[in-house]
Amino acid sequence: FDGSFWLPTRNNPVSNLFRLQEQFQLSQFSCFDLSYITGRMCFFSLKSLAVILILMAIATDASAITPRTPAFSTPPLPEAQSIEHRHTSITKTRNQFLRDALLGGVVGLVASTSAPNTASAMVTDPQTGVALPEEGEIEMAIPKDWDGFESPFDNNSKSQFARLDSTPDSFFYTDPRFVEHVDENAVKLMTEYISNEALQNGDAVLDLCSSWTSHIKNGKDLQRVAGLGMNAKELESNPSLTEWTIRDLNENPKLPYDDASFNVVLCQLSIDYLTRPVEVMQEVRRVLKPGGKVQIIFSNRLFLSKAVAVWTGADDVDHAYTVGAYINESGGFENIAAKDLSNRKGRGRRITGDPLYVVSGTKLNR
């Protein structure tokens, strides 16, 4: 046991009802019915579900589904507050984006005789009770064009990045942890992705929030691998690093490197702990060479007491969107995209083992 946890979401009927009430002004019956349909709690076939959703959309008066500012929210921290969204005719919100993607997938499903490439519903692992995305959902979480999408972060509220344990991270990371925080299969997938896709021979690499391993295969011919982390014993034990430094990015997000120093910046299984993520991404942009890439890898495993509220109150699809928003908000990035790295098996292509995802962005060549 390494002290980390799975984060189950969307498994509580009341929570699902609250999510819908936050998004739409609906009658009690409609909200109840939709919560069981779009909340993935009914047992209809996918095609039947598609027909029901379309019939309900037709039958619902447009004035009854006008988005409004949430009246309440259910984050894990008592001081957390609802996020205010500005709903205008030219601005899309996260909820509107996912609703449009859902309806688009539904229409395509009904019009086609075969199953679509992407799914529009999360499923619950019967063994762990964790809500997991279906194949294609993570990729759909990131807009192709961010123009017109408002920031999901409230600059006037610190509650989104508050944590259950607000003590300095230097206390938490005093003792080294020579363990992996995802299962063996996820470690293998992460190592394969980093070594074969994220990195090229000759790259200069920065491993943010580094530890005793950077998940880089032996024999990779890299110009430089700099590690920035919180525990000296872990960093000095990392065989991939050519250099390392201690830095608490929540205290000081300034990176101790020159401009345009790296081809790739990695952040593995740590983005959920950053309390100033946009500032960190601005620094990542500064130290990347033009055309360089940031690769942010995450799962649903975490140290719950140290994760920020905007993360713990969401599911993996929301996590992908949030990470994409971090990169977009920092400015100067293009081709922001998400990819599901998880192992999937069976007819339903369900995730087996710990899930694994990556969101990447490329620094503009100017």
Side-chain angles (χ1 to χ4, degrees), residues 181-343:
H181 300 290
V182 288
D183 64 24
E184 182 179 353
N185 184 66
V187 170
K188 180 180 178 181
L189 292 169
M190 185 160 47
T191 303
E192 291 291 331
Y193 176 80
I194 290 173
S195 302
N196 299 333
E197 296 188 45
L199 305 182
Q200 304 295 325
N201 287 333
D203 280 347
V205 181
L206 171 59
D207 185 13
L208 280 185
C209 307
S210 187
S211 65
W212 63 278
T213 176
S214 294
H215 302 105
I216 300 173
K217 287 183 177 180
N218 293 332
K220 198 73 178 177
D221 185 17
L222 300 171
Q223 175 188 338
R224 171 190 186 190
V225 182
L228 185 148
M230 291 290 294
N231 187 279
K233 289 184 179 180
E234 289 185 21
L235 293 171
E236 66 185 9
S237 300
N238 188 327
S240 298
L241 300 183
T242 59
E243 60 191 89
W244 57 267
T245 188
I246 300 294
R247 177 64 57 93
D248 183 349
L249 293 175
N250 290 336
E251 290 292 329
N252 180 11
K254 179 75 174 178
L255 298 179
Y257 307 105
D258 294 335
D259 295 356
S261 298
F262 300 99
N263 302 99
V264 179
V265 174
L266 301 173
C267 183
Q268 307 171 52
L269 308 178
S270 298
I271 191 66
D272 39 337
Y273 307 125
L274 295 181
T275 60
R276 301 162 73 177
V278 175
E279 293 177 69
V280 172
M281 287 302 109
Q282 289 171 340
E283 279 293 289
V284 167
R285 179 197 64 209
R286 180 183 65 79
V287 303
L288 274 173
K289 298 177 181 180
K293 284 192 172 184
V294 58
Q295 304 272 358
I296 301 176
I297 299 173
F298 60 96
S299 182
N300 65 2
R301 296 294 297 268
L302 49 77
F303 293 106
L304 186 61
S305 64
K306 281 297 183 181
V308 295
V310 73
W311 194 272
T312 59
D315 56 49
D316 289 345
V317 176
D318 294 319
H319 292 157
Y321 181 86
T322 298
V323 175
Y326 289 162
I327 299 173
N328 181 65
E329 286 282 297
S330 68
F333 284 95
E334 62 182 352
N335 301 326
I336 301 172
K339 184 176 182 180
D340 189 343
L341 305 177
S342 309
N343 188 49

